[in-house]
Amino acid sequence: MAEAWSVLAQAAGPNVFLEPGFALAARGIDPASGLGAVVMEEGGRLVGFAPGRFMLGGAVFALWTHPYAPYGAPLVLPGAERPVLARLVDYLRAAGAVALDWPLLDDGSPLTAALGVLAGPSQHRVDVLEAHRRAALITADPPRPSKELRRLGRRLAEQGELVVVSTASGLALADATEAFLRLEAEGWKGRKGSALAVSADSRRFFDEAMSGLAASGQAQIDLMLLDGKAVAGAVVLRAGDRAWYWKTAYGEAHARYSPGALMTLELTERLCADPAIRLVDSCAIAGHPMIDRIWTGRLGITSRLVALRPGRAGLRYRLVLAVIAARRSAKAGAKALVARLRRVRATAGG
């Protein structure tokens, strides 16, 4: 299916995380079993590609996302969103599922509109599991940088020769990859154990994903160098008229100059100058203390549970909803507890 999948990815509503080069690399960092895809064809061509897995004894089909893919739109040929969604629902219902777990879809997209039709005239129950708004760059309306960031940039430039280099303008991908991973591992992600270089699997995934996307111009690494050493880095992925500010890292030795914010400011100017890019998703948490101050645009992201049978939801659907909601609540509670413990340790000096 590789060729048909690639053709659809180029024509579909953009989701770089489902480009074959990225998705096949990411399979290696998803240990759970049962991952596959529901594919839909029409007239001999692929019109829909929805990866995911059956869960809860086959009662739920969960569309595939993972910690490195903060966006959950399946690949669908433009204009075919309603029939593809209807066919997906019919197929999953015939397979014995009662619910479609659909995470991280942007509000206002054609797929969201198709869901609205499913929930309205077709009378399928749709429950919102989580919704948030995260920073986005609308390139038609670029933000104005603050005077403080400009001042910090001048201060950092006083420390030595400050330049920005990019794989988009000649920097070797292998060199950029090594520099970015080293920078990330030296920071808080390295201490937390979540840096890409910490695990052999995540390092392999990063190398494969970047190689696969960079070959088609869909990935770039930018580095801010001070006297030849990276003090900040950014990884941007792109598909169609959208881009994703996927990864960022900065050198903590120069934290007082906010090199990560300065890298974002430099990247913002470059993205806004690119006529092929309409929207850049920050991939950040809602209320992020850095990116929210620089990018004033917001992208609504919603996770939903969709009943596969129209009309009043049955007992199995309501049980599935209760289980998924409880799991999400427990996960959120655990994250909040860890955050509180870290604050207590920091206050106690340990």
Side-chain angles (χ1 to χ4, degrees):
M1 284 192 58
E3 184 176 352
W5 180 2
S6 296
V7 170
L8 176 62
Q10 294 301 308
N15 181 356
V16 74
F17 306 110
L18 290 185
E19 292 282 343
F22 188 98
L24 292 175
R27 182 64 186 90
I29 49 96
D30 186 342
S33 62
L35 180 61
V38 179
V39 297
M40 286 144 280
E41 295 180 334
E42 182 181 60
R45 64 173 178 169
L46 199 61
V47 298
F49 181 85
R53 51 171 54 93
F54 287 97
M55 303 176 66
L56 296 180
V60 179
F61 185 80
L63 291 174
W64 188 42
T65 58
H66 50 84
Y68 297 106
Y71 186 51
L75 298 178
V76 178
L77 202 65
E81 292 86 4
R82 288 173 61 178
V84 164
L85 180 56
R87 186 68 189 93
L88 176 63
V89 166
D90 289 345
Y91 172 82
L92 294 176
R93 185 171 64 239
V98 297
L100 171 64
D101 186 351
W102 194 330
L104 303 175
L105 180 64
D106 52 331
D107 300 340
S109 71
L111 282 169
T112 302
L115 264 177
V117 172
L118 195 71
S122 298
Q123 297 183 330
H124 286 257
R125 177 170 169 174
V126 177
D127 288 280
V128 172
L129 300 173
E130 188 273 338
H132 65 274
R133 291 171 60 80
R134 62 194 186 206
L137 176 64
I138 314 298
T139 57
D141 187 23
R144 297 181 61 182
S146 70
K147 291 182 179 179
E148 176 63 12
L149 274 181
R150 292 294 189 188
R151 183 187 71 82
L152 290 172
R154 292 192 296 269
R155 290 283 306 279
L156 182 58
E158 292 170 359
Q159 311 305 308
E161 182 185 15
L162 188 66
V163 297
V164 174
V165 295
S166 175
T167 56
S169 55
L171 177 64
L173 179 63
D175 294 340
T177 295
E178 288 297 331
F180 181 84
L181 291 176
R182 182 168 55 251
L183 190 64
E184 186 188 56
E186 290 172 352
W188 66 268
K189 287 188 177 181
R191 294 190 298 273
K192 183 183 175 183
S194 60
L196 285 158
V198 170
S199 159
D201 287 341
S202 60
R203 170 61 196 260
R204 186 183 310 110
F205 152 66
F206 185 73
D207 287 341
E208 292 179 2
M210 292 303 296
S211 296
L213 292 177
S216 56
Q218 293 180 271
Q220 73 181 62
I221 301 176
D222 288 9
L223 298 172
M224 180 174 284
L225 307 180
L226 182 65
D227 288 338
K229 182 178 180 181
V231 295
V235 182
V236 174
L237 310 179
R238 56 195 296 170
D241 62 357
R242 293 180 67 157
W244 288 262
Y245 189 2
W246 186 50
K247 290 288 178 183
T248 183
Y250 67 92
E252 294 183 352
H254 297 86
R256 62 185 178 278
Y257 303 112
S258 298
L262 293 174
M263 180 77 258
T264 300
L265 184 62
E266 177 75 20
L267 189 66
T268 298
E269 294 177 354
R270 295 182 181 211
L271 290 168
C272 287
D274 188 340
I277 296 297
R278 175 183 59 86
L279 173 73
V280 188
D281 183 347
S282 69
C283 302
I285 61 171
H288 191 280
M290 183 274 285
I291 194 68
D292 274 28
R293 292 187 291 114
I294 301 176
W295 292 1
T296 56
R298 296 293 179 265
L299 184 65
I301 300 290
T302 302
S303 296
R304 303 171 175 86
L305 190 70
V306 182
L308 298 177
R309 192 172 298 280
R312 185 176 180 180
L315 177 60
R316 287 185 70 205
Y317 175 85
R318 297 197 301 274
L319 288 173
V320 164
L321 175 62
V323 169
I324 291 177
R327 287 181 175 179
R328 283 177 165 267
S329 179
K331 186 176 180 180
K335 285 185 176 180
L337 177 59
V338 169
R340 284 198 298 271
L341 289 174
R342 284 178 179 158
R343 288 196 295 269
V344 169
R345 287 182 62 187
T347 302

